């Protein structure tokens, strides 16, 4: 099949959660006290510089933030199922290319380090641009891909550990 673009998470009808929004998905988005509905993740986290070893690195999907609410495990499973169990981002160490690996195929794009704390990922065939920011959780660097500047929506990735 053809690869699916990640949804435009700024759209009020979030592609990943059609089942959730139409009521066919019975789980609930987990509302945590530190991240109430509508709160920007940009105000909740401390961000770190772009990792020096970003070129050549791979990242795997670990969760998300939709409309200001953290995904619970059921929401994560629904999202991952949309991509046939695989959603990864791989940064080339040879040039500025980036690949989003999905169960149904890959999206090819480019990335650019914008400043010490952010990268831009562009997938022209899907007409998608993300801002990538980094934070630390339990001594692990986390990549957040944000589709817009509101901070209400993000997709989370952690490094793929070889071996």
């Amino acid at each position: 099949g053809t690869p699916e673009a990640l949804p435009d998470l700024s759209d009020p009808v979030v592609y990943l959660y059609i089942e959730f929004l139409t009521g066919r998905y019975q789980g609930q988005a987990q509302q945590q006290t530190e991240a109430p509905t509508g709160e920007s993740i940009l105000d909740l986290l401390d961000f770190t510089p772009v990792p020096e070893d970003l070129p050549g690195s791979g990242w795997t999907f670990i969760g998300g933030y939709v409309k200001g609410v953290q995904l619970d495990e059921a929401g994560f499973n629904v999202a991952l199922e949309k991509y046939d169990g695989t959603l990864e981002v791989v940064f080339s160490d040879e040039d500025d290319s980036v690949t989003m690996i999905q169960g149904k195929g890959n999206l090819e794009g480019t990335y650019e380090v914008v400043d010490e704390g952010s990268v831009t990922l562009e997938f022209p065939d899907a007409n998608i641009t993300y801002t990538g920011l980094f934070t630390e959780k339990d001594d692990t660097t986390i990549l957040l891909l944000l589709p817009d500047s509101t901070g209400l929506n993000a997709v989370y990735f952690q490094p793929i550990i070889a071996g």
Side-chain angles (χ1 to χ4, degrees), residues 76-134:
F76 167 82
N77 291 334
V78 167
L80 196 56
E81 188 177 300
K82 291 290 182 194
Y83 298 100
D84 289 343
T86 303
L87 185 57
E88 298 175 352
V89 176
V90 177
F91 295 89
S92 171
D93 61 356
E94 296 177 9
D95 56 25
D96 64 350
S97 64
V98 61
T99 303
M100 186 168 287
I101 300 170
Q102 305 173 33
K104 296 178 181 178
N106 299 342
L107 285 177
E108 301 294 337
T110 58
Y111 75 97
E112 177 183 1
V113 177
V114 178
D115 55 40
E116 72 175 30
S118 66
V119 296
T120 298
L121 290 76
E122 294 185 16
F123 298 96
D125 292 346
N127 196 28
I128 295 175
T129 300
Y130 290 103
T131 298
L133 300 175
F134 299 87

Side-chain angles (χ1 to χ4, degrees), residues 13 31 101 139 155 163:
V13 181
Q31 294 189 22
I101 300 170
D139 295 322
V155 184

Side-chain angles (χ1 to χ4, degrees), residues 41-86:
I41 199 163
L42 299 173
D43 297 331
L44 299 175
L45 298 176
D46 293 321
F47 295 97
T48 59
V50 175
E52 290 182 16
D53 59 354
L54 185 65
S57 67
W59 302 76
T60 188
F61 174 65
I62 59 166
Y65 196 69
V66 178
K67 293 179 158 180
V69 178
Q70 296 283 352
L71 293 183
D72 61 9
E73 186 176 350
F76 167 82
N77 291 334
V78 167
L80 196 56
E81 188 177 300
K82 291 290 182 194
Y83 298 100
D84 289 343
T86 303

